[in-house]
Amino acid sequence: MVMTTRSNPTESQVEAQAEARMEPRMSEDPAELVPELAEVSAALFKVTGNGSVPRSTISLVQLRAGQIVGSTYLTVLHTGFLRKAGVTEERITSVASWQDSPYFTGAERAALALVEAVLQPSADGERVSDELYAQAAEHYEAKALATLMFAIGQVSFFISVALIAKPVPGRSFTDPWK
């Protein structure tokens, strides 16, 4: 068995990686290739924006989803949405460690637990347990819980785009291919 150690990347390696990520993997904008996406995207945004769940909670959940799947594009995108909404840096930066962070409400914790359960495998087989569902239902009425479910579905829908096509992080949400 050969064991190797990982060294920290040099500054030039980090710069080279940053330069390599300045172009999307997929050269054509998927939304231009499949223009029907605009209608689907608008409908999903309308569903999640129905007011039953605060937009900041939805963005916290979607930020956590981006972190879980390792998508810099989604992480940067939802961090930007949260900043524009006036969410504090403490709350934004502690999403990755929300379980022991003092910055989240019980409802937000339930929402973050749901997205983690949906996106991470479970040793017990069932990802969303009855107990977790009951915990979320304590904080959200039926419409809000359905909206939260669709918000997780919305980000899940775009995870494949973020991981396969690799839009450029930090570029406009509406123009990541330019």
Side-chain angles (χ1 to χ4, degrees), residues 128-152:
V128 178
S129 67
D130 290 340
E131 294 80 16
L132 178 55
Y133 181 85
Q135 178 189 9
E138 287 177 20
H139 295 283
Y140 296 99
E141 63 179 46
K143 181 178 180 176
L145 190 52
T147 300
L148 186 56
M149 177 178 64
F150 293 130
I152 293 168

Side-chain angles (χ1 to χ4, degrees), residues 55-137:
R55 181 56 71 184
S56 62
T57 300
I58 290 170
S59 286
L60 289 169
V61 163
Q62 293 180 335
L63 169 58
R64 185 65 188 125
Q67 292 171 339
I68 291 168
V69 301
S71 170
T72 301
Y73 176 76
L74 290 173
T75 301
V76 170
L77 176 70
H78 292 292
T79 297
F81 287 164
L82 288 161
R83 284 188 178 126
K84 285 179 185 173
V87 175
T88 66
E89 287 299 313
E90 290 84 4
R91 284 170 45 82
I92 294 169
T93 57
S94 66
V95 167
S97 58
W98 66 268
Q99 296 90 339
D100 65 356
S101 170
Y103 301 113
F104 302 103
T105 67
E108 290 167 335
R109 289 176 186 286
L112 290 164
L114 274 176
V115 73
E116 285 194 0
V118 169
L119 293 178
Q120 295 177 331
S122 170
D124 301 328
E126 186 174 33
R127 291 183 186 213
V128 178
S129 67
D130 290 340
E131 294 80 16
L132 178 55
Y133 181 85
Q135 178 189 9

